[in-house]
Amino acid sequence: MTSQPTLRTAGSGPGDPGESGSSPSEHDSGLQAGLKNRHLSMIAIGGVIGAGLFVGSSSGIATAGPGILLSYALVGTLVVLVMRMLGEMSAANPTSGSFSAHADRALGPWAGFTIGWLYWFFWVVVLAVEATAGAAILEGWIPAVPQWGWALIVMVVLTATNLVSVGSYGEFEFWFAGIKVVAIAAFIVVGGLAVFGVLPGVDSDQAGLANLTDHGGFLPNGAGAILTGILLVVFSFMGSEIATLAAGESEDPQRAVTKATNSIIWRIGVFYLGSILVVVCLLPWDSESITEDGSYVAALDSLGIAHAGQIMNFIVLTSVLSCLNSGLYTASRMAFSLGRRGDAPKAFARTTGRGVPRTAILVSVVFGFVAVFFNYKFPDSVFLFLVNSSGAVALFVWLVICFSQLRMRKIIQAEAPEKLVVRMWLYPYLTWASAALIVFVLGYMLTDTEHNGRTTVLLSLLVAAVVLVVAVVKQRMAGRRAEDRDGIPAG
């Protein structure tokens, strides 16, 4: 019978500022509570609105038609359930390592090590993807500066922002996320008025609820297209978990986690389902403009809004900068947590007097720069491998959260039941159902050759296997060192 790991209180576990085993000093003072409630609120709202929503939704609509709403609803429901599980664990023990630290305690050091490094890898690749996307927009506006120059500029600026203090990251993210929220809210309101024919000055013959069923019906390409749609939209939801990582640096971590978890339902319902519903009602799903111009640009164009393309470019650029800002923050905090737990070099866990993990930030951004270089030098080989091999990490993270919560619930109930301020619904049935759905999606991806699903899963599994082997070897070596230290012969 295996013994259950001990529940640690916030601030005393691995990845927490107050971890025992290293006395804080001027150069190792731990993370600080520099995020205000308004920062956390906007990070929670903005984290779920990625550039993928604006850029990637057109392929989903073209594939599944109006039925893409079901794809978004299914993935959104899964994210709500996973966030509820993560909220339960994080409210009981807020930590900068979030799900990686929880996996470390619930499943074992191998799990925390593996998922932590995979998540870090995912975000440093995202840095390159987003920096390149933002640079392409900026070069279109100011062609005098080459695209690689813009990529370098945005990376340097946001690195400097993260190096100053967590408060400066929070302030930048507050305004980036604020612009996204206002833009998408305005789009829903204006588009909704047009759909019902009450928008002054707009005469759109195409708009109307009839677009949901005309042009081949609600599922013009069959029910199977819903599953294909899931593969196309699932990765645009990555980022909803950032609020639980940031909560550890807020004034009231437990309250911040609880609020972020409870608000995830309306955030997904309004921003994802609401905006996509408006798009497919404004235009027929098979309109060529959706695939040629992008779903949101095409929707704005259909309303006769001048400079729709440039307006959307500005919104996408804001989303890209927000993703870059949060990606660097997230990667560095995961590296910090790994350093605290001994799963990364100790230098990663050192902080400045302002509570900034400078080494973790710089190492993360260096790998981001390397990935940007590969994107420009070897886009169809090395960089394509990086993107594909990190593509399924989101699903791996969600699966680990499911299994961690199954174990952590029992630990919390046994040792500190008063900490269960957020509870997973219908435990353990919904947790098992969520895990089964994730496994099903991964399995279905293996059958998908048209959208690179099989390649993404196989390469991601390859990288995960390599990291897992390193984790197991590291754990066994640590065990042998402990045996030697205690004078117990290794078996």
Side-chain angles (χ1 to χ4, degrees), residues 158-232:
L158 293 177
T159 300
T161 300
N162 275 265
L163 284 172
V164 172
S165 69
V166 68
S168 64
Y169 153 73
E171 198 63 33
F172 267 71
E173 191 57 25
F174 176 81
W175 291 106
F176 286 152
I179 292 171
K180 288 192 293 184
V181 169
V182 170
I184 202 165
F187 174 81
I188 292 172
V189 171
V190 172
L193 292 174
V195 168
F196 290 102
V198 293
L199 184 65
V202 172
D203 181 21
S204 179
D205 297 333
Q206 305 177 89
L209 294 175
N211 282 328
L212 293 174
T213 53
D214 291 346
H215 308 280
F218 186 72
L219 295 171
N221 296 323
I226 297 173
L227 294 176
T228 306
I230 287 176
L231 304 187
L232 297 173

Side-chain angles (χ1 to χ4, degrees), residues 57-132:
S57 55
S58 56
S59 59
I61 293 172
T63 299
I68 195 66
L69 289 166
L70 296 180
S71 302
Y72 273 104
L74 284 171
V75 179
T77 300
L78 177 61
V79 172
V80 167
L81 295 176
V82 170
M83 279 295 294
R84 188 75 182 183
M85 299 175 217
L86 182 55
E88 177 180 294
M89 296 184 288
S90 296
N93 189 18
T95 169
S96 61
S98 188
F99 50 84
S100 173
H102 302 321
D104 187 292
R105 296 161 192 168
L107 305 178
W110 63 269
F113 179 99
T114 303
I115 206 64
W117 276 113
L118 286 176
Y119 191 69
W120 178 87
F121 173 56
F122 170 84
W123 279 110
V124 294
V125 173
V126 166
L127 291 180
V129 174
E130 300 296 338
T132 305

Side-chain angles (χ1 to χ4, degrees), residues 250-458:
S250 67
E251 298 165 350
D252 188 349
Q254 191 177 76
R255 179 176 177 272
V257 168
T258 304
K259 187 175 180 181
T261 303
N262 290 337
S263 64
I264 187 73
I265 297 176
W266 71 260
R267 284 186 275 139
I268 289 177
V270 171
F271 296 124
Y272 276 85
L273 292 178
S275 64
I276 295 297
L277 176 62
V278 168
V279 169
V280 294
C281 285
L282 285 175
L283 285 170
W285 71 271
D286 53 357
S287 172
E288 291 183 2
S289 61
I290 289 181
T291 52
E292 291 176 358
D293 303 327
S295 52
Y296 288 82
V297 172
L300 290 176
D301 274 334
S302 73
L303 299 179
I305 296 177
H307 309 295
Q310 292 304 322
I311 292 173
M312 192 50 58
N313 274 339
F314 173 75
I315 296 171
V316 170
L317 178 61
T318 302
S319 296
V320 163
L321 295 177
S322 171
C323 191
L324 267 171
N325 195 37
S326 288
L328 183 52
Y329 170 84
T330 305
S332 65
R333 268 36 176 200
M334 186 57 72
F336 169 85
S337 179
L338 289 167
R340 281 282 185 172
R341 285 179 272 142
D343 290 337
K346 290 182 180 179
F348 284 20
R350 297 196 187 104
T351 56
T352 65
R354 295 190 175 204
V356 175
R358 181 165 53 201
T359 303
I361 291 175
L362 292 176
V363 170
S364 299
V365 82
V366 164
F367 274 86
F369 277 127
V370 170
V372 169
F373 169 76
F374 286 144
N375 194 6
Y376 286 111
K377 194 70 175 175
F378 311 105
D380 298 322
S381 54
V382 180
F383 187 71
L384 187 61
F385 170 81
L386 292 176
V387 171
N388 285 332
S389 61
S390 64
V393 167
L395 293 169
F396 295 166
V397 167
W398 296 347
L399 193 59
V400 166
I401 289 172
C402 291
F403 289 123
S404 298
Q405 191 265 337
L406 286 169
R407 191 95 188 274
M408 282 297 293
R409 166 65 77 91
K410 297 177 181 178
I411 299 170
I412 299 170
Q413 283 180 325
E415 300 185 10
E418 72 280 0
K419 290 180 177 289
L420 279 173
V421 293
V422 176
R423 288 176 179 264
M424 176 59 184
W425 306 296
L426 295 178
Y427 168 85
Y429 307 108
L430 276 181
T431 303
W432 280 111
S434 301
L437 179 57
I438 295 168
V439 172
F440 173 78
V441 171
L442 285 169
Y444 187 76
M445 286 180 71
L446 289 172
T447 68
D448 174 49
T449 55
E450 184 180 354
H451 303 98
N452 267 347
R454 177 183 295 175
T455 303
T456 297
V457 171
L458 291 177

